[in-house]
Amino acid sequence: MEEWTIETWEQQKEQNSLTAFYLYTPMCGTCAVASKMLDVIETLLPELPLGKANINFLEQLAFDYQIESVPCLLISRDNQVEKVYAFQSVPYLYEKLKK
């Protein structure tokens, strides 16, 4: 999964009807599990624009989207952004992200 900036996230949202942006912190154990789940999703949905970022460096994004905790997956579908905090399972994420 590629590291994105806020600018990359904004560009991807404009260019694609479905985009996902994974927010994490390096010392978060739950984030490590979520990252592995998203690696599987990236393999299953290679056409999905999916990026990640350390939220410690994105204070404005955290404020703008009112991020409450990590891991957090921002899903932009037709310019509507949904926040997912409970990743649950790979099948759950797959169903949320497939077109």
Side-chain angles (χ1 to χ4, degrees):
M1 202 174 345
E2 185 179 311
E3 288 279 337
W4 283 0
T5 62
I6 293 174
E7 292 78 17
T8 306
W9 162 242
E10 295 296 333
Q11 288 171 353
Q12 291 294 332
K13 283 192 324 179
E14 289 176 17
Q15 296 171 359
N16 299 283
S17 61
L18 178 64
T19 306
F21 193 22
Y22 168 59
L23 304 172
Y24 69 95
T25 59
M27 299 302 290
C28 167
T30 308
C31 295
V33 174
S35 291
K36 291 178 183 178
M37 294 169 73
L38 287 171
D39 287 342
V40 175
I41 294 297
E42 191 173 33
T43 302
L44 295 171
L45 299 171
E47 72 285 350
L48 173 70
L50 175 61
K52 67 179 181 176
N54 180 343
I55 199 164
N56 289 322
F57 300 112
L58 299 177
E59 183 180 342
Q60 190 59 50
L61 181 98
F63 179 77
D64 291 345
Y65 286 96
Q66 299 178 341
I67 304 301
E68 299 167 20
S69 66
V70 291
C72 179
L73 185 65
L74 297 177
I75 302 171
S76 174
R77 183 176 278 114
D78 299 321
N79 291 320
Q80 298 293 319
V81 177
E82 173 187 3
K83 293 182 278 189
V84 176
Y85 295 107
F87 284 36
Q88 298 182 24
S89 66
V90 171
Y92 171 79
L93 291 173
Y94 178 79
E95 288 301 317
K96 280 224 161 275
L97 293 168
K98 74 176 188 176
K99 290 185 179 180

